[in-house]
Amino acid sequence: MARKILVTGAAGFIGSNFVHFLVANTDDTVTVLDKFTYAGNAASLAGLPENRVSVVHGDICDAELVDDLVAVSDVLVHFAAESHNDNSLHDPKPFLDTNIIGTYTLLEAVRRHGTRYHHISTDEVYGDLELDDPQRFTESTPYNPSSPYSSTKAGSDLLVRAWVRSFGVEATISNCSNNYGPRQHVEKFIPRQITNIIVGERPKLYGEGLNVRDWIHADDHSSAVLRIVEAGRIGDTYLIGADGEKNNRQVLELILTGMGQPSDAYDHVVDRPGHDLRYAIDSTKLRTELGWRPSFPDFERGLAATIDWYRGNEDWWRPQKAATEAKYREQGQ
Ligand code: NAD
Ligand code: DAU
């Protein structure tokens, strides 16, 4: 039977990909709740059928609005967040408001209405790994966040766990690794470099570029979330990853050569303070318990498609590009 799904933060990167995925793969109707911060883009939801998707412009910290929307929803999937580490190092307060108070506001509403809740989180709650550590993150890795962003995400996860245990809220949590794909804001690593090359700027690599990220296509994140919503065990956490470890220099060289540039045509810029060295996900639980598999295991093909998307959708990202680079210049990056 078709469900009514409330999706927060779906004018952003992963939330919008999730709504496109739901429309293509289910009969569900979707209500989007988004504040349209600098990271929200109405164009990311353009073309979706009006009889399936409605959009509410509002703040997840607005308890009255949240209560009204949760009251008429079967499931709440919570993507909304302040999501960029670099921003959190310069102005942490919005991260506390949205990531902590916003999550608290949603949890109180699902508690009142008995609504199924899925919480979107990040592998960054686990801190970082040494480059040669044979262990990857699992559901039992202790929390050890490094930045204001990741610490507020860790705090929000702990609120969810407490609301499950103390109040019986029907919730699941997923912690995913770095996503790539269409509709990602140009402040983030991969789209920043692709769009720099398109506008004739040199790509910017923090430090030596040896930091490792575990890349997954946003559509694979979506399919994993849907699988957890439908079959996940209440109260459980699932790690989502597609075995996509690469260091930043490798990714940048792939972007450069994929766009017909010399592989060394980039600048080293000042490193991010407290920069996490390596993330790596062991997604065995999700694969064995819920039978999930990624559909985009080939990063290079997914990256080529992402480059094509940014080449073909300049209207989507051009309006954000100059302001984003001006902010980076102020920060010395
Ligand atoms: P994003 O920054 O692209 O989008 C965030 C969205 O949330 C925007 O549309 C913004 O307008 C909205 N928003 C912000 N504050 C809000 C508020 N107070 N009320 C309502 N809406 C608000 O983020 P993203 O990269 O799509 O990340 C989505 C979620 O996935 C986040 O919870 C993030 O922690 C998590 N996550 C991201 C990644 C990644 O690689 N990007 C990986 C793992 C987990
Ligand atoms: O691991 C999941 C996380 O991935 C999510 O929780 C975050 O919301 C998401 O933003 C992402 O965090 P990162 O900090 O890893 O992503 P970012 O795109 O900012 O940077 C990726 C790597 O690239 C990181 O090691 C820093 C580096 N970098 C980034 C930028 C913007 C550069 O070298 N140059 C750049 O210009």
Side-chain angles (χ1 to χ4, degrees):
M1 206 177 73
R3 296 158 293 204
K4 291 182 190 154
I5 306 201
L6 177 60
V7 184
T8 69
F13 166 45
I14 307 174
S16 63
N17 280 290
F18 182 66
V19 173
H20 283 270
F21 186 88
L22 280 180
V23 167
N25 293 286
T26 71
D27 296 327
D28 299 332
T29 55
V30 178
T31 300
V32 171
L33 172 59
D34 201 293
K35 189 178 173 182
F36 289 88
T37 67
Y38 79 95
N41 190 336
S44 296
L45 298 166
L48 288 164
E50 282 175 20
N51 63 341
R52 300 276 308 277
V53 180
S54 55
V55 179
V56 176
H57 187 149
D59 192 329
I60 57 167
C61 301
D62 178 343
E64 210 173 307
L65 173 64
V66 163
D67 195 77
D68 288 347
L69 295 173
V70 169
V72 295
S73 302
D74 302 314
V75 181
L76 165 53
V77 183
H78 174 35
F79 288 91
E82 285 293 335
S83 71
H84 193 36
N85 276 297
D86 291 322
N87 293 341
S88 81
L89 295 164
H90 293 272
D91 184 13
K93 175 71 167 35
F95 290 75
L96 289 148
D97 292 338
T98 289
N99 300 358
I100 300 282
I101 300 298
T103 299
Y104 156 77
T105 307
L106 297 172
L107 284 169
E108 284 293 83
V110 295
R111 170 154 89 108
R112 276 192 294 278
H113 295 286
T115 310
R116 171 82 170 87
Y117 173 88
H118 182 71
H119 185 72
I120 303 294
S121 192
T122 168
D123 58 357
E124 297 194 18
V125 300
Y126 300 113
D128 60 355
L129 299 162
E130 294 299 327
L131 294 179
D132 59 356
D133 192 330
Q135 301 296 323
R136 300 186 288 174
F137 298 139
T138 70
E139 287 76 7
S140 54
T141 302
Y143 275 36
N144 188 26
S146 314
S147 72
Y149 162 66
S150 54
S151 62
T152 56
K153 290 298 291 186
S156 70
D157 292 10
L158 298 182
L159 292 179
V160 178
R161 291 181 184 195
W163 261 242
V164 169
R165 173 143 178 187
S166 301
F167 305 125
V169 161
E170 292 201 10
T172 41
I173 300 175
S174 55
N175 297 78
C176 189
S177 58
N178 283 64
N179 284 221
Y180 72 96
R183 307 183 198 92
Q184 186 170 28
H185 194 281
V186 292
E187 69 187 351
K188 301 285 167 49
F189 179 56
I190 288 178
R192 185 182 184 200
Q193 315 314 338
I194 294 171
T195 55
N196 273 356
I197 294 167
I198 296 172
V199 301
E201 290 280 331
R202 281 166 71 87
K204 310 284 184 246
L205 189 65
Y206 294 175
E208 291 305 309
L210 299 180
N211 305 64
V212 171
R213 297 294 182 263
D214 190 353
W215 294 99
I216 180 172
H217 194 280
D219 277 356
D220 282 334
H221 191 175
S222 293
S223 69
V225 168
L226 184 59
R227 186 76 195 123
I228 296 165
V229 165
E230 290 179 338
R233 207 175 339 187
I234 297 302
D236 270 21
T237 289
Y238 296 86
L239 265 56
I240 305 174
D243 302 330
E245 282 189 72
K246 292 223 172 333
N247 75 34
N248 295 337
R249 199 160 69 196
Q250 291 170 317
V251 173
L252 182 50
E253 288 174 357
L254 284 172
I255 293 171
L256 281 159
T257 53
M259 295 181 73
Q261 304 288 314
S263 62
D264 60 353
Y266 60 86
D267 294 333
H268 291 276
V269 294
V270 63
D271 207 350
R272 174 184 286 171
H275 196 171
D276 280 339
L277 185 55
R278 172 177 166 236
Y279 306 138
I281 291 275
D282 178 346
S283 58
T284 302
K285 176 178 174 182
L286 178 65
R287 292 172 192 239
T288 54
E289 282 189 18
L290 303 187
W292 174 83
R293 292 283 177 285
S295 301
F296 293 83
D298 182 344
F299 176 73
E300 294 187 28
R301 279 182 55 192
L303 184 63
T306 303
I307 292 169
D308 286 346
W309 190 87
Y310 282 90
R311 279 186 163 137
N313 290 276
E314 293 204 15
D315 289 354
W316 184 93
W317 58 264
R318 280 267 180 193
Q320 309 154 344
K321 183 66 184 167
T324 303
E325 286 306 314
K327 192 151 114 186
Y328 274 126
R329 268 194 301 280
E330 270 169 36
Q331 297 168 1
Q333 290 165 324

